Amino acid sequence: MAATREHFGSRLGFILAAAGSAVGIGNLVAFPVAATKSGGGAFLLVYAVFVLFICLPIMMAELALGRTTEKDPVGAYRQLSGGSRAWRIPGWMALITPFMIAVFYLVLTVWILGYLIEVLSGNLNQLTNEAYFGQFINSKLIFVYLVLVMLLTNSVLAMGVKDGIERAAKALMPMLFVMLLGLVIFVLTRENSELGLKYYLLPDFAKLNAEVISKAMSQAFFSLSLGMGIMITYGSYLKKREAIPGAAKAVALTDTLVAFTAGLLILPSIFHFNPQIDTSTLSESSASMIFLFLPKIFLSLQGSIGYFGASAVAATFFFLVLIAALTSLISIVEVPLAALCDERGLSRKKAIYIVGVLQVILAGACAVSFGMVDWLTHFIHIAGSEKGFFELVEIVFYDTILPLNGLLVCLFVIYKWKRVNFNKALSQGDSSFSGSLSQKYVNFSLGTFIPVILLLVFLNTVALKFFGHSLI
């Protein structure tokens, strides 16, 4: 007899856990910079349109797949396809993708933890030396921090959905919101902060082009954890009485608000540091901004609040980013754990051991691909340049496969599972959704233009990342 499916204890618990998955490192750093370089308020408007009209229907589809079957991605596709061998492939892709994303995300989280510890040790001035970053990521301390991060995430996961994931989300997400707002209020009182607000919020529609629109679409899709199997898995823990459309809207709104608010922190900070800065020179890489640029901004605060005060602000920021990274990591790792428990009947404890060992091995390979191990540092040659193992994992499983996974979700829900069954699933817990304008739009969009957009994004990403040429 199958074990009773564990569920989130409350709607708020689900929303905070799902938002914790969606709110990641990119939301806090890369998103604000991308917006500023791509038209400010114009980019924000396009991003919001994509979240509302493209991403929300896909999130509803993924949640519906999970809640209807109460299975992991592999089991959900298998059950609703009637055991079709062809439709097992998307299920496995939705499983392997988060497993590999967790591998490189582990490394980023390790770096953040290491920098937080350095700041708390009074070494903020040391972090402003760009050469230090290269030394840090190639030090043996990386492996100590890797063990600490694994212990933190697996301790939460070992307690299960309600007592582990949900409880952690209820504690960490409000903490994240409060710290983010506190930092925003502090930064907005700094000199020249209004210049950052100007570049971030005022729309510049002249900068909008096909490439920027594609960037906004990709940012919205990645930001909401779509195509990773996470929403399918979390949907399987959602009680039948909960309204999927309402829950999806709450998660999307929370994620978007955090990303928007982060811009009120990052851009004013940058312009306080250098009011003459050319925003086109800013890197959209989260790692470059967090580890190479932002420490200089924090250290510059010592002129007004002293070295201790500057270190306190830096520590608060790195702790904030660490929370975002951990909540995302917990959600990502939960997908392969759920699959092992569902598909192989393993206990959660045994599944954690298996996934943990594999991820430590692969994360270790990523961690040493920045100079420690030569063949992993020069792992492959694509798009005219050498890529390390870490870069390859990021390009394949984060940049490239997610739109393809989303495309397959759309096609499966509408053309294999069928609209009538999908609509029934969405109406369960929300009878007002049946026959509504929202229902008609979701059905139409998932079966027509959303798959086309995702296909174009996927093909353009392949052309750009693997051949060095954009199709747009």
mmCIF file of all heavy atoms in Angstrom, residues 330-366:
data_model
loop_
_atom_site.group_PDB
_atom_site.id
_atom_site.type_symbol
_atom_site.label_atom_id
_atom_site.label_comp_id
_atom_site.label_asym_id
_atom_site.label_seq_id
_atom_site.Cartn_x
_atom_site.Cartn_y
_atom_site.Cartn_z
ATOM 1 N N ILE A 330 16.993 24.305 -1.509
ATOM 2 C CA ILE A 330 16.120 23.318 -0.871
ATOM 3 C C ILE A 330 15.048 22.853 -1.850
ATOM 4 O O ILE A 330 14.767 21.652 -1.974
ATOM 5 C CB ILE A 330 15.484 23.915 0.403
ATOM 6 C CG1 ILE A 330 16.539 24.035 1.511
ATOM 7 C CG2 ILE A 330 14.308 23.061 0.888
ATOM 8 C CD1 ILE A 330 16.091 24.880 2.691
ATOM 9 N N SER A 331 14.455 23.788 -2.559
ATOM 10 C CA SER A 331 13.401 23.457 -3.522
ATOM 11 C C SER A 331 13.935 22.632 -4.687
ATOM 12 O O SER A 331 13.289 21.689 -5.144
ATOM 13 C CB SER A 331 12.760 24.741 -4.061
ATOM 14 O OG SER A 331 12.250 25.526 -3.022
ATOM 15 N N ILE A 332 15.108 23.009 -5.171
ATOM 16 C CA ILE A 332 15.692 22.309 -6.320
ATOM 17 C C ILE A 332 16.033 20.861 -5.956
ATOM 18 O O ILE A 332 15.730 19.916 -6.701
ATOM 19 C CB ILE A 332 16.950 23.039 -6.814
ATOM 20 C CG1 ILE A 332 16.587 24.453 -7.296
ATOM 21 C CG2 ILE A 332 17.603 22.278 -7.958
ATOM 22 C CD1 ILE A 332 17.791 25.345 -7.547
ATOM 23 N N VAL A 333 16.647 20.666 -4.798
ATOM 24 C CA VAL A 333 17.056 19.314 -4.383
ATOM 25 C C VAL A 333 15.845 18.440 -4.064
ATOM 26 O O VAL A 333 15.894 17.219 -4.212
ATOM 27 C CB VAL A 333 18.010 19.390 -3.170
ATOM 28 C CG1 VAL A 333 18.390 17.996 -2.681
ATOM 29 C CG2 VAL A 333 19.272 20.167 -3.525
ATOM 30 N N GLU A 334 14.738 19.056 -3.656
ATOM 31 C CA GLU A 334 13.541 18.289 -3.327
ATOM 32 C C GLU A 334 13.022 17.488 -4.523
ATOM 33 O O GLU A 334 12.436 16.414 -4.349
ATOM 34 C CB GLU A 334 12.442 19.224 -2.810
ATOM 35 C CG GLU A 334 11.100 18.561 -2.525
ATOM 36 C CD GLU A 334 11.171 17.494 -1.435
ATOM 37 O OE1 GLU A 334 12.130 17.485 -0.631
ATOM 38 O OE2 GLU A 334 10.245 16.654 -1.387
ATOM 39 N N VAL A 335 13.257 17.958 -5.739
ATOM 40 C CA VAL A 335 12.745 17.271 -6.932
ATOM 41 C C VAL A 335 13.344 15.872 -7.080
ATOM 42 O O VAL A 335 12.600 14.886 -7.168
ATOM 43 C CB VAL A 335 12.976 18.113 -8.202
ATOM 44 C CG1 VAL A 335 12.441 17.377 -9.431
ATOM 45 C CG2 VAL A 335 12.294 19.475 -8.079
ATOM 46 N N PRO A 336 14.677 15.714 -7.119
ATOM 47 C CA PRO A 336 15.215 14.348 -7.204
ATOM 48 C C PRO A 336 14.910 13.512 -5.969
ATOM 49 O O PRO A 336 14.753 12.286 -6.071
ATOM 50 C CB PRO A 336 16.722 14.554 -7.382
ATOM 51 C CG PRO A 336 17.000 15.946 -6.919
ATOM 52 C CD PRO A 336 15.769 16.725 -7.223
ATOM 53 N N LEU A 337 14.797 14.139 -4.789
ATOM 54 C CA LEU A 337 14.431 13.382 -3.590
ATOM 55 C C LEU A 337 13.044 12.785 -3.736
ATOM 56 O O LEU A 337 12.820 11.601 -3.445
ATOM 57 C CB LEU A 337 14.464 14.287 -2.348
ATOM 58 C CG LEU A 337 15.812 14.776 -1.833
ATOM 59 C CD1 LEU A 337 15.610 15.549 -0.538
ATOM 60 C CD2 LEU A 337 16.763 13.618 -1.610
ATOM 61 N N ALA A 338 12.100 13.612 -4.183
ATOM 62 C CA ALA A 338 10.726 13.138 -4.374
ATOM 63 C C ALA A 338 10.680 12.010 -5.395
ATOM 64 O O ALA A 338 9.928 11.036 -5.233
ATOM 65 C CB ALA A 338 9.833 14.297 -4.819
ATOM 66 N N ALA A 339 11.488 12.120 -6.444
ATOM 67 C CA ALA A 339 11.509 11.082 -7.481
ATOM 68 C C ALA A 339 12.011 9.754 -6.930
ATOM 69 O O ALA A 339 11.441 8.691 -7.227
ATOM 70 C CB ALA A 339 12.376 11.532 -8.652
ATOM 71 N N LEU A 340 13.064 9.784 -6.137
ATOM 72 C CA LEU A 340 13.580 8.540 -5.557
ATOM 73 C C LEU A 340 12.571 7.915 -4.596
ATOM 74 O O LEU A 340 12.411 6.698 -4.569
ATOM 75 C CB LEU A 340 14.900 8.811 -4.829
ATOM 76 C CG LEU A 340 16.140 9.001 -5.710
ATOM 77 C CD1 LEU A 340 17.347 9.327 -4.850
ATOM 78 C CD2 LEU A 340 16.412 7.748 -6.546
ATOM 79 N N CYS A 341 11.900 8.753 -3.825
ATOM 80 C CA CYS A 341 10.900 8.243 -2.881
ATOM 81 C C CYS A 341 9.692 7.672 -3.625
ATOM 82 O O CYS A 341 9.187 6.598 -3.282
ATOM 83 C CB CYS A 341 10.439 9.350 -1.929
ATOM 84 S SG CYS A 341 11.727 9.934 -0.808
ATOM 85 N N ASP A 342 9.223 8.382 -4.668
ATOM 86 C CA ASP A 342 8.040 7.949 -5.413
ATOM 87 C C ASP A 342 8.328 6.777 -6.336
ATOM 88 O O ASP A 342 7.576 5.796 -6.376
ATOM 89 C CB ASP A 342 7.484 9.110 -6.252
ATOM 90 C CG ASP A 342 6.881 10.214 -5.407
ATOM 91 O OD1 ASP A 342 6.680 9.987 -4.194
ATOM 92 O OD2 ASP A 342 6.616 11.302 -5.944
ATOM 93 N N GLU A 343 9.396 6.893 -7.109
ATOM 94 C CA GLU A 343 9.663 5.914 -8.168
ATOM 95 C C GLU A 343 10.379 4.668 -7.671
ATOM 96 O O GLU A 343 10.222 3.593 -8.237
ATOM 97 C CB GLU A 343 10.500 6.575 -9.276
ATOM 98 C CG GLU A 343 9.897 7.839 -9.864
ATOM 99 C CD GLU A 343 8.502 7.611 -10.403
ATOM 100 O OE1 GLU A 343 8.300 6.649 -11.153
ATOM 101 O OE2 GLU A 343 7.600 8.405 -10.053
ATOM 102 N N ARG A 344 11.181 4.808 -6.618
ATOM 103 C CA ARG A 344 11.942 3.658 -6.132
ATOM 104 C C ARG A 344 11.510 3.212 -4.741
ATOM 105 O O ARG A 344 12.024 2.219 -4.221
ATOM 106 C CB ARG A 344 13.453 4.001 -6.107
ATOM 107 C CG ARG A 344 14.039 4.217 -7.496
ATOM 108 C CD ARG A 344 14.098 2.903 -8.267
ATOM 109 N NE ARG A 344 14.649 3.089 -9.603
ATOM 110 C CZ ARG A 344 13.931 3.212 -10.710
ATOM 111 N NH1 ARG A 344 12.612 3.180 -10.626
ATOM 112 N NH2 ARG A 344 14.494 3.368 -11.885
ATOM 113 N N GLY A 345 10.587 3.920 -4.154
ATOM 114 C CA GLY A 345 10.071 3.531 -2.839
ATOM 115 C C GLY A 345 11.082 3.687 -1.718
ATOM 116 O O GLY A 345 10.954 3.025 -0.676
ATOM 117 N N LEU A 346 12.071 4.550 -1.902
ATOM 118 C CA LEU A 346 13.090 4.736 -0.873
ATOM 119 C C LEU A 346 12.571 5.627 0.246
ATOM 120 O O LEU A 346 11.675 6.450 0.045
ATOM 121 C CB LEU A 346 14.345 5.374 -1.476
ATOM 122 C CG LEU A 346 15.067 4.598 -2.585
ATOM 123 C CD1 LEU A 346 16.298 5.386 -3.027
ATOM 124 C CD2 LEU A 346 15.462 3.215 -2.123
ATOM 125 N N SER A 347 13.138 5.482 1.413
ATOM 126 C CA SER A 347 12.827 6.398 2.503
ATOM 127 C C SER A 347 13.472 7.745 2.189
ATOM 128 O O SER A 347 14.439 7.827 1.429
ATOM 129 C CB SER A 347 13.381 5.864 3.826
ATOM 130 O OG SER A 347 14.798 5.856 3.798
ATOM 131 N N ARG A 348 12.932 8.807 2.763
ATOM 132 C CA ARG A 348 13.489 10.134 2.530
ATOM 133 C C ARG A 348 14.953 10.196 2.967
ATOM 134 O O ARG A 348 15.792 10.810 2.299
ATOM 135 C CB ARG A 348 12.653 11.187 3.267
ATOM 136 C CG ARG A 348 13.185 12.606 3.173
ATOM 137 C CD ARG A 348 12.166 13.596 3.688
ATOM 138 N NE ARG A 348 11.156 13.863 2.681
ATOM 139 C CZ ARG A 348 11.200 14.877 1.830
ATOM 140 N NH1 ARG A 348 12.211 15.725 1.866
ATOM 141 N NH2 ARG A 348 10.257 15.070 0.947
ATOM 142 N N LYS A 349 15.273 9.554 4.082
ATOM 143 C CA LYS A 349 16.644 9.572 4.601
ATOM 144 C C LYS A 349 17.612 8.937 3.613
ATOM 145 O O LYS A 349 18.685 9.482 3.329
ATOM 146 C CB LYS A 349 16.689 8.833 5.936
ATOM 147 C CG LYS A 349 18.043 8.870 6.615
ATOM 148 C CD LYS A 349 17.986 8.185 7.972
ATOM 149 C CE LYS A 349 19.349 8.194 8.661
ATOM 150 N NZ LYS A 349 19.307 7.516 9.986
ATOM 151 N N LYS A 350 17.248 7.781 3.063
ATOM 152 C CA LYS A 350 18.126 7.093 2.119
ATOM 153 C C LYS A 350 18.254 7.893 0.826
ATOM 154 O O LYS A 350 19.342 7.967 0.233
ATOM 155 C CB LYS A 350 17.581 5.692 1.823
ATOM 156 C CG LYS A 350 18.544 4.824 1.026
ATOM 157 C CD LYS A 350 18.077 3.384 0.966
ATOM 158 C CE LYS A 350 19.105 2.515 0.225
ATOM 159 N NZ LYS A 350 18.676 1.093 0.193
ATOM 160 N N ALA A 351 17.148 8.498 0.387
ATOM 161 C CA ALA A 351 17.184 9.314 -0.829
ATOM 162 C C ALA A 351 18.120 10.503 -0.657
ATOM 163 O O ALA A 351 18.857 10.874 -1.578
ATOM 164 C CB ALA A 351 15.772 9.790 -1.168
ATOM 165 N N ILE A 352 18.111 11.102 0.525
ATOM 166 C CA ILE A 352 18.997 12.240 0.804
ATOM 167 C C ILE A 352 20.455 11.811 0.723
ATOM 168 O O ILE A 352 21.296 12.532 0.176
ATOM 169 C CB ILE A 352 18.680 12.840 2.191
ATOM 170 C CG1 ILE A 352 17.361 13.615 2.137
ATOM 171 C CG2 ILE A 352 19.803 13.761 2.669
ATOM 172 C CD1 ILE A 352 16.871 14.102 3.478
ATOM 173 N N TYR A 353 20.772 10.640 1.262
ATOM 174 C CA TYR A 353 22.151 10.145 1.194
ATOM 175 C C TYR A 353 22.598 9.964 -0.255
ATOM 176 O O TYR A 353 23.698 10.375 -0.646
ATOM 177 C CB TYR A 353 22.274 8.815 1.937
ATOM 178 C CG TYR A 353 22.278 8.948 3.439
ATOM 179 C CD1 TYR A 353 21.624 8.006 4.238
ATOM 180 C CD2 TYR A 353 22.934 9.998 4.066
ATOM 181 C CE1 TYR A 353 21.615 8.114 5.632
ATOM 182 C CE2 TYR A 353 22.948 10.118 5.447
ATOM 183 C CZ TYR A 353 22.277 9.177 6.226
ATOM 184 O OH TYR A 353 22.278 9.306 7.586
ATOM 185 N N ILE A 354 21.744 9.344 -1.063
ATOM 186 C CA ILE A 354 22.106 9.058 -2.455
ATOM 187 C C ILE A 354 22.289 10.358 -3.246
ATOM 188 O O ILE A 354 23.312 10.561 -3.912
ATOM 189 C CB ILE A 354 21.034 8.176 -3.123
ATOM 190 C CG1 ILE A 354 21.016 6.789 -2.480
ATOM 191 C CG2 ILE A 354 21.286 8.061 -4.630
ATOM 192 C CD1 ILE A 354 19.885 5.896 -2.961
ATOM 193 N N VAL A 355 21.294 11.243 -3.174
ATOM 194 C CA VAL A 355 21.372 12.511 -3.896
ATOM 195 C C VAL A 355 22.539 13.350 -3.380
ATOM 196 O O VAL A 355 23.284 13.956 -4.165
ATOM 197 C CB VAL A 355 20.045 13.296 -3.769
ATOM 198 C CG1 VAL A 355 20.195 14.705 -4.357
ATOM 199 C CG2 VAL A 355 18.919 12.554 -4.464
ATOM 200 N N GLY A 356 22.731 13.359 -2.068
ATOM 201 C CA GLY A 356 23.800 14.144 -1.470
ATOM 202 C C GLY A 356 25.177 13.719 -1.946
ATOM 203 O O GLY A 356 26.014 14.561 -2.288
ATOM 204 N N VAL A 357 25.421 12.420 -1.978
ATOM 205 C CA VAL A 357 26.732 11.914 -2.412
ATOM 206 C C VAL A 357 26.995 12.287 -3.865
ATOM 207 O O VAL A 357 28.081 12.770 -4.221
ATOM 208 C CB VAL A 357 26.804 10.384 -2.227
ATOM 209 C CG1 VAL A 357 28.029 9.824 -2.938
ATOM 210 C CG2 VAL A 357 26.843 10.022 -0.749
ATOM 211 N N LEU A 358 25.997 12.078 -4.728
ATOM 212 C CA LEU A 358 26.165 12.395 -6.150
ATOM 213 C C LEU A 358 26.398 13.881 -6.366
ATOM 214 O O LEU A 358 27.253 14.279 -7.167
ATOM 215 C CB LEU A 358 24.932 11.934 -6.935
ATOM 216 C CG LEU A 358 24.720 10.418 -7.034
ATOM 217 C CD1 LEU A 358 23.391 10.112 -7.716
ATOM 218 C CD2 LEU A 358 25.865 9.769 -7.803
ATOM 219 N N GLN A 359 25.667 14.697 -5.626
ATOM 220 C CA GLN A 359 25.810 16.135 -5.810
ATOM 221 C C GLN A 359 27.122 16.671 -5.245
ATOM 222 O O GLN A 359 27.688 17.618 -5.792
ATOM 223 C CB GLN A 359 24.610 16.860 -5.198
ATOM 224 C CG GLN A 359 23.347 16.677 -6.026
ATOM 225 C CD GLN A 359 22.161 17.430 -5.489
ATOM 226 O OE1 GLN A 359 22.075 17.706 -4.295
ATOM 227 N NE2 GLN A 359 21.215 17.743 -6.359
ATOM 228 N N VAL A 360 27.601 16.097 -4.174
ATOM 229 C CA VAL A 360 28.904 16.507 -3.638
ATOM 230 C C VAL A 360 30.001 16.205 -4.658
ATOM 231 O O VAL A 360 30.900 17.026 -4.887
ATOM 232 C CB VAL A 360 29.191 15.797 -2.304
ATOM 233 C CG1 VAL A 360 30.677 15.877 -1.974
ATOM 234 C CG2 VAL A 360 28.393 16.431 -1.181
ATOM 235 N N ILE A 361 29.919 15.042 -5.293
ATOM 236 C CA ILE A 361 30.918 14.667 -6.300
ATOM 237 C C ILE A 361 30.891 15.650 -7.479
ATOM 238 O O ILE A 361 31.928 16.179 -7.898
ATOM 239 C CB ILE A 361 30.678 13.228 -6.804
ATOM 240 C CG1 ILE A 361 30.940 12.226 -5.675
ATOM 241 C CG2 ILE A 361 31.569 12.918 -8.010
ATOM 242 C CD1 ILE A 361 30.534 10.805 -6.001
ATOM 243 N N LEU A 362 29.689 15.902 -8.009
ATOM 244 C CA LEU A 362 29.572 16.773 -9.175
ATOM 245 C C LEU A 362 29.835 18.240 -8.812
ATOM 246 O O LEU A 362 30.448 18.977 -9.590
ATOM 247 C CB LEU A 362 28.181 16.617 -9.800
ATOM 248 C CG LEU A 362 27.937 15.272 -10.486
ATOM 249 C CD1 LEU A 362 26.471 15.109 -10.861
ATOM 250 C CD2 LEU A 362 28.811 15.146 -11.730
ATOM 251 N N ALA A 363 29.358 18.674 -7.631
ATOM 252 C CA ALA A 363 29.625 20.047 -7.191
ATOM 253 C C ALA A 363 31.112 20.241 -6.959
ATOM 254 O O ALA A 363 31.668 21.311 -7.238
ATOM 255 C CB ALA A 363 28.841 20.362 -5.920
ATOM 256 N N GLY A 364 31.760 19.207 -6.448
ATOM 257 C CA GLY A 364 33.212 19.264 -6.273
ATOM 258 C C GLY A 364 33.916 19.435 -7.604
ATOM 259 O O GLY A 364 34.875 20.213 -7.721
ATOM 260 N N ALA A 365 33.425 18.710 -8.634
ATOM 261 C CA ALA A 365 34.010 18.847 -9.975
ATOM 262 C C ALA A 365 33.821 20.263 -10.508
ATOM 263 O O ALA A 365 34.708 20.826 -11.151
ATOM 264 C CB ALA A 365 33.367 17.833 -10.924
ATOM 265 N N CYS A 366 32.653 20.855 -10.231
ATOM 266 C CA CYS A 366 32.413 22.255 -10.638
ATOM 267 C C CYS A 366 33.342 23.207 -9.887
ATOM 268 O O CYS A 366 33.905 24.141 -10.462
ATOM 269 C CB CYS A 366 30.960 22.634 -10.358
ATOM 270 S SG CYS A 366 29.754 21.980 -11.524
#
